[in-house]
Amino acid sequence: MTQFFNKITDLFIPGRLCLFGEHSDWAAEYRQVNPRIAPGYAVVVGTNQGIYARVKVDDQLIFKTVNNSQVFKLAMTEAKLLSMAQTGNFYSYIAGVAYQAKVHYQVGGLKIDNYLMDLPLKKGLSSSAAICVLVARAFNQLYKLGLAIAEEMELAYQGERTTASQCGRLDQACAYGNQPILMTFEGNSQTVKPLMVGRDLYLVIVDLAGSKDTRKILSQLHQCYPVAQSPWQAQVQNYLGNINQNLVQQAVKAIEAGDAVEIGNLMSQAQGEFDRYLIPACPSELNAPRLHQLLDHPPLQPYIYGGKGVGSQGDGTAQIITPNSDTQAKAIEIIEQDFPSMKCYPLNIANTNSD
């Protein structure tokens, strides 16, 4: 037992980048009350940046992070965990997952030392979901729960939904790491299909150094469901349903072929369709002048194939795809020179072909 308690496990959980299909996860949940709504589809991949931690078994729930000198400690009782989860602060995510693990698996506590975090926070890269997956995986590995990745994702999802978060189901896809996956959403269920990658892909994630109100975006878009009350609400449902499905199906083929040119074309097409159909639902947030200034920046065009917004969209984060590592570096140089407040993060997706 002493050896069990003293074992230290190293974990790394990346952020999550939705390459295609943002918002389609929660939209498809409305199929439960309106079956005419189309299923949701998304292509998701883990970022190269993430959350690093050393974890071990403990009697309490203890969380230490590089972002705060305070060490969080909480007794592993269902009442205390649930109470903390509903506070809405950073530690609510940790307590929410611990609460679900306690209820469903009767686990003890954890000591988590988050000694490094290079994942940008609140930038549409699912930093909160990464924390939840980290806690779920720690419980799974240290208490030998035998959970598959999809089950870890479900534990993390239920933990995050125990808080005030209204996250969709694609956020926890960071559990799959740097493996691109196709996610399909049907009502309250999901399926996951890992994707092969035909060639190395070179992307750049760009923190636009802008501002957006994610809650307002989601609130306005949710008003379009479950039954559209106006033509523009019907357009939102059409984009997040049939149009998105077609774009994602084409993107899957391009990724498996390693066709960066086509991926770039599809990103630009997706952004154009998003602007056409979704901006009317929340123009104050989705007009996104900084995003479009970046995507249309003339000096950048020779070095990229295309790009689009990330997450809920707005002026939070962008993604662009480049031909190779040299053009990736050049694109980063141009962005950081011409837009000094913006910050770039390379994302390399490796070829999975065995030959």
Side-chain angles (χ1 to χ4, degrees):
M1 180 63 73
T2 301
Q3 183 179 4
F4 177 64
F5 268 75
N6 288 336
K7 179 183 178 182
I8 298 175
T9 299
D10 286 290
L11 296 178
F12 168 74
I13 305 296
R16 180 275 299 153
L17 180 68
C18 183
L19 295 172
F20 294 90
E22 59 275 352
H23 295 298
S24 69
D25 54 340
W26 61 257
E29 291 185 11
Y30 283 103
R31 283 175 60 80
Q32 296 173 94
V33 291
N34 180 3
R36 300 179 68 177
I37 292 172
Y41 298 87
V43 177
V44 187
V45 68
T47 62
N48 297 150
Q49 301 75 31
I51 301 171
Y52 300 77
R54 300 184 184 97
V55 299
K56 62 180 292 189
V57 169
D58 198 275
D59 292 329
Q60 302 181 80
L61 181 62
I62 302 174
F63 190 88
K64 177 183 178 183
T65 177
V66 291
N67 293 333
N68 194 326
S69 59
Q70 178 185 358
V71 177
F72 170 76
K73 295 183 179 181
L74 189 66
M76 280 292 294
T77 67
E78 291 181 16
K80 287 186 179 294
L81 293 170
L82 181 58
S83 177
M84 174 55 68
Q86 295 175 342
T87 62
N89 64 26
F90 171 79
Y91 298 108
S92 66
Y93 298 107
I94 299 152
V97 179
Y99 170 77
Q100 293 292 336
K102 181 73 172 178
V103 169
H104 294 287
Y105 303 105
Q106 296 76 52
V107 295
L110 288 177
K111 183 176 183 180
I112 302 174
D113 179 9
N114 167 217
Y115 62 90
L116 176 63
M117 183 185 299
D118 57 4
L119 177 67
L121 302 179
K122 298 182 179 180
K123 294 298 179 183
L125 301 176
S126 294
S127 55
S128 60
I131 286 286
C132 291
V133 170
L134 173 73
V135 177
R137 184 157 294 169
F139 278 118
N140 184 29
Q141 293 193 7
L142 291 179
Y143 286 94
K144 303 185 184 304
L145 302 181
L147 303 181
I149 294 178
E151 293 170 308
E152 287 182 341
M153 288 174 60
E154 182 65 19
L155 176 58
Y157 172 76
Q158 294 299 337
E160 185 161 356
R161 290 301 292 259
T162 304
T163 73
S165 171
Q166 294 299 307
C167 69
R169 288 182 173 272
L170 69 76
D171 290 356
Q172 290 74 28
C174 54
Y176 278 85
N178 202 229
Q179 168 84 57
I181 60 174
L182 169 65
M183 301 187 72
T184 303
F185 308 99
E186 280 269 6
N188 199 37
S189 66
Q190 66 182 27
T191 58
V192 174
K193 176 188 175 183
L195 299 177
M196 303 299 288
V197 182
R199 292 188 180 90
D200 291 343
L201 300 174
Y202 301 89
L203 293 85
V204 181
I205 301 170
V206 186
D207 177 355
L208 297 170
S211 62
K212 66 174 183 176
D213 187 336
T214 299
R215 289 187 178 182
K216 182 176 181 180
I217 294 171
L218 291 173
S219 175
Q220 296 294 100
L221 294 181
H222 273 279
Q223 289 181 24
C224 303
Y225 292 83
V227 178
Q229 302 296 324
S230 68
W232 64 265
Q233 288 188 344
Q235 289 181 341
V236 170
Q237 291 191 13
N238 185 35
Y239 175 78
L240 295 180
N242 295 327
I243 294 174
N244 177 69
Q245 178 180 353
N246 181 55
L247 286 166
V248 168
Q249 288 174 342
Q250 294 181 73
V252 167
K253 293 178 182 179
I255 290 168
E256 292 184 329
D259 188 345
V261 174
E262 179 64 6
I263 295 169
N265 289 336
L266 289 168
M267 284 185 178
S268 298
Q269 181 182 343
Q271 186 63 54
E273 300 278 21
F274 184 98
D275 292 347
R276 176 184 175 187
Y277 291 109
L278 267 68
I279 283 180
C282 190
S284 64
E285 297 298 325
L286 296 180
N287 272 313
R290 294 181 70 85
L291 169 66
H292 291 91
Q293 184 183 15
L294 173 73
L295 296 178
D296 297 336
H297 190 50
L300 199 56
Q301 303 313 307
Y303 304 100
I304 67 172
Y305 288 142
K308 60 186 287 291
V310 168
S312 61
Q313 290 252 7
D315 270 341
T317 306
Q319 57 180 315
I320 57 176
I321 187 166
T322 67
N324 52 54
S325 59
D326 290 337
T327 51
Q328 181 189 53
K330 184 62 178 179
I332 291 173
E333 177 186 335
I334 291 171
I335 293 168
E336 294 188 339
Q337 174 181 301
D338 295 353
F339 304 96
S341 62
M342 296 185 184
K343 185 171 177 58
C344 297
Y345 302 89
L347 171 60
N348 301 327
I349 305 175
N351 177 356
T352 57
N353 286 340
S354 57
D355 56 354

